[in-house]
Each structure stands twice: as structure tokens, then as C-alpha cells.
Amino acid sequence: MKVTFLGTRAEIEIRSRRHRRHRALLIEQDDARIMIDCSSDWLHRLYAIAPTAIVLTHAHADHAAGLFNGAPCPVYATAATWKSLGRLPILDRRTMPLRRAVLIGGVRFSAVPVQHSIRAPAVGYSVLASGCSFFYLPDVAELPEASGALRGIDVYIGDGSAIGRSIVRRKGGE
Ligand SMILES: [Zn+2]
């Protein structure tokens, strides 16, 4: 399994050239090219990346706005994310179940719900292929330690803003 960081920026100002694109990951395994998340940075680059599947963590624009013109492959998202996304010209929509393994191109994904946004419920993904595993969580307000999602995982790749403390906003936040 080969993992490429297509982007690492959150919804913050661009501070450097190497940090300008929004968070997205490309997983390559045999012939599969699976992209996790797809912001507007990829709107006109999707055909160049040529993913064989796209998996979404949640519906916020910095994770899904690259799909406004559709997608050249199946797109996986939870039922809650499809509901938040509304109408998008995506022909092959697949519903990602929660806490149940789904095999996509030889890579096993398991969606774990996390606290992030009420309007755009988010998941992190436990990803396993070729005996390697990682947990990918680009946007979260509180690390999901209690859920046991990180147990047995080789590497955590994720949002660093909540590592030291919870950043949950209880009132008036989104
Ligand atoms: Zn978000």
C-alpha cells in the first residue's frame, strides 16, 4: 500500500506553497487508486489523479467541493454525509456503513463516527491493506480514544488541533 498526501491544509489561510492544498489522501494498492476527500482544489484535477474510488469523511466544502462536477468513479460516503451534500451530479453513489468493514479495491475501510460538526457529521477511517493499517481523521474536535478506534492501528494520521485538548464548541458553533 502506498499513501500520498495530496494536500494537508485545513480551512485556514495558505501560509506556504507546500501547505496550500486541502487535506486529501491517495491510497494506491495494486490497480486501485483510492482518494480520501476531495476539496475544490481537485475540481479540475480529478481526471489527472484518475481515482478508481473516492471516499469522503464528511460534507464540508474543504472535503467535498471537488465533486461539484461529478466524479469519474464510485463515491463512498455515509448516509448522513450524502444527506448533507444534497444534489451533486455523482452517478455512482455508495453508502458507507458505520463501524463495518468495506473492501474497496483490496483495501479495507471501516468508518468510525467522530465529533466534528452537527451539520456535517464526520467519520474517520480505519484503513488496512497488505498487513499495514492506519487511522485517517482529517477533521475532528475530539480524538476518538474512547471508542477504541485507534486500538491495534500502526499509524494515526490526523487533525493535530485536538491532540492536547478538545476543541468542541458547545454553543453557536457549527
Ligand atoms: Zn470539516
Side-chain angles (χ1 to χ4, degrees):
M1 171 167 60
K2 180 181 167 193
V3 174
T4 305
F5 291 86
L6 298 174
T8 53
R9 181 167 66 93
E11 194 65 337
I12 56 171
E13 270 178 45
I14 296 174
R15 295 194 196 130
S16 76
R17 251 187 68 78
R18 298 182 64 184
H19 190 236
R20 69 189 189 284
R21 289 186 177 146
H22 285 119
R23 290 148 298 180
L25 212 62
L26 182 68
I27 300 167
E28 293 169 83
Q29 170 75 16
D30 298 325
D31 293 336
R33 293 171 60 80
I34 305 160
M35 194 174 171
I36 304 185
D37 286 338
C38 187
S39 80
S40 56
D41 292 335
W42 317 109
L43 189 60
H44 302 294
R45 296 187 181 97
L46 258 187
Y47 284 84
I49 296 171
T52 53
I54 297 171
V55 175
L56 298 181
T57 59
H58 64 299
H60 279 158
D62 56 332
H63 294 263
L67 298 171
F68 283 177
N69 293 337
C73 59
V75 179
Y76 293 76
T78 63
T81 293
W82 282 125
K83 197 172 161 200
S84 302
L85 282 170
R87 287 168 188 259
L88 284 178
I90 294 168
L91 302 176
D92 194 346
R93 291 169 177 241
R94 314 254 176 120
T95 301
M96 182 68 85
L98 297 178
R99 299 184 195 86
R100 192 144 40 85
V102 171
L103 207 57
I104 306 171
V107 181
R108 201 184 78 176
F109 287 81
S110 182
V112 178
V114 295
Q115 277 199 46
H116 173 52
S117 157
I118 291 161
R119 279 179 232 168
V123 295
Y125 285 104
S126 164
V127 180
L128 173 72
S130 314
C132 294
S133 62
F134 65 87
F135 192 80
Y136 184 63
L137 184 52
D139 243 3
V140 70
E142 229 167 45
L143 280 181
E145 286 169 286
S147 71
L150 304 181
R151 206 172 295 140
I153 291 292
D154 294 325
V155 181
Y156 168 67
I157 303 170
D159 188 345
S161 51
I163 278 183
R165 67 195 161 88
S166 161
I167 55 165
V168 172
R169 287 165 291 165
R170 302 279 176 201
K171 262 188 190 174
E174 190 189 325

